[in-house]
Structures are given as C-alpha cells and as structure tokens.
C-alpha cells in the first residue's frame, strides 16, 4: 500500500501557492506532484487549516446495523427473498445500501434461500427415467 506524502512536501507546496504567488499547477510542476494533489492540499489547508493526510485503511462498520439489522433478520426468516429485492425493501425503510452490503450480511448470518427440486422447471421427455 502506498504511503502519504510527507508533511514537509505538503507544507512547501501550500506555501509556494499561498506565500510564493505560484499557481497550483506551477507548484505541482516545481515539486513533482500531481496537479490534482496540489489542488487538494491547498483546498484542505484553506478549509480546515491542516495538511495532515486522511486515514488510510482501518475497520469500516457494517452498513446494516441497529433497527435495520433486527428487521432484516426477521424478514429473512419469514419468506423467500432475493438480494436485489431486499435492497429495494431496505430503501423503502430509509436505508440506502447496495447489493454487496446485503450479500455480506446474509453470508455472515449464514442465511440463504436454496431452490428445492420440485420448484425447478421440468426437463425434456428424453431425459426422464425409463418406465
């Protein structure tokens, strides 16, 4: 994983723009960083007063938790479901999640709906067992 740029470099780029009168493009060229990087640093410094990099990595909490988690557990036990259908039902309840978040939840709970044999469509007559 890549590391954030040093604070020294960040400070020099922002100082060149704020105090040196350089444009963001010229400062990026001088210090060998991307133009979007220099623009982001200057914007972050002006808005928040800090140049510290944001957090990289770490634990991300589950998207489905609290009352939605309780509702979803109950809903999964009641009747058949599809993951896309559950995404739509959660959206109706006010929680915007994607397909992957619902799949992760169902997988972690070891819940799934498996088709049983009688529900599958019938095969061709040639494949049936001989009489």
């Amino acid at each position: 994983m890549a590391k954030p740029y040093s604070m020294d470099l960040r400070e020099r780029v922002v100082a060149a723009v704020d105090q040196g009168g350089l444009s963001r493009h010229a400062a990026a060229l001088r210090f060998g960083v991307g133009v979007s990087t220099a623009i982001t640093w200057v914007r972050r410094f002006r808005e928040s007063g800090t140049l510290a990099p944001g957090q990289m990595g770490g634990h991300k909490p589950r998207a489905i938790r609290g009352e939605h988690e309780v509702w979803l557990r109950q809903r999964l036990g009641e009747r058949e479901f599809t993951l896309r259908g559950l995404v739509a039902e959660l959206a109706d309840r006010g929680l915007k999640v994607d397909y992957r978040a619902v799949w992760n939840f169902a997988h972690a709970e070891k819940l799934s709906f498996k088709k049983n044999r009688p529900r599958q469509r019938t095969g061709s007559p040639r494949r049936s067992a001989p009489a």
Side-chain angles (χ1 to χ4, degrees):
M1 178 182 257
K3 290 186 192 177
Y5 284 108
S6 69
M7 287 299 292
D8 179 54
L9 178 61
R10 292 168 181 256
E11 291 166 358
R12 287 186 290 148
V13 170
V14 172
V17 172
D18 281 348
Q19 298 158 0
L22 289 179
S23 69
R24 292 173 182 94
H25 289 260
L29 185 63
R30 174 188 280 181
F31 293 102
V33 297
V35 174
S36 64
T37 303
I39 291 171
T40 303
W41 289 347
V42 172
R43 182 186 314 127
R44 179 180 295 151
F45 182 73
R46 289 180 179 170
E47 288 175 357
S48 67
T50 182
L51 289 171
Q55 178 185 1
M56 294 179 66
H59 174 71
K60 183 177 177 186
R62 289 170 56 168
I64 303 171
R65 57 181 184 259
E67 67 181 58
H68 297 291
E69 180 179 3
V70 172
W71 176 84
L72 190 54
R73 275 199 186 107
Q74 180 184 5
R75 168 62 183 85
L76 293 175
E78 288 176 356
R79 60 186 189 275
E80 299 173 354
F81 62 89
T82 62
L83 296 179
R84 297 206 188 278
L86 292 174
V87 169
E89 289 181 43
L90 285 166
D92 291 342
R93 292 181 53 84
L95 179 65
K96 186 174 188 231
V97 292
D98 62 346
Y99 177 87
R100 183 67 182 198
V102 175
W103 185 91
N104 284 337
F105 180 84
H107 183 72
E109 297 292 319
K110 298 190 183 343
L111 298 169
S112 66
F113 173 72
K114 299 290 183 191
K115 295 178 182 176
N116 57 19
R117 198 75 183 137
R119 290 185 184 195
Q120 293 182 358
R121 58 172 255 206
T122 58
S124 67
R126 284 181 269 151
R127 294 181 185 241
S128 61

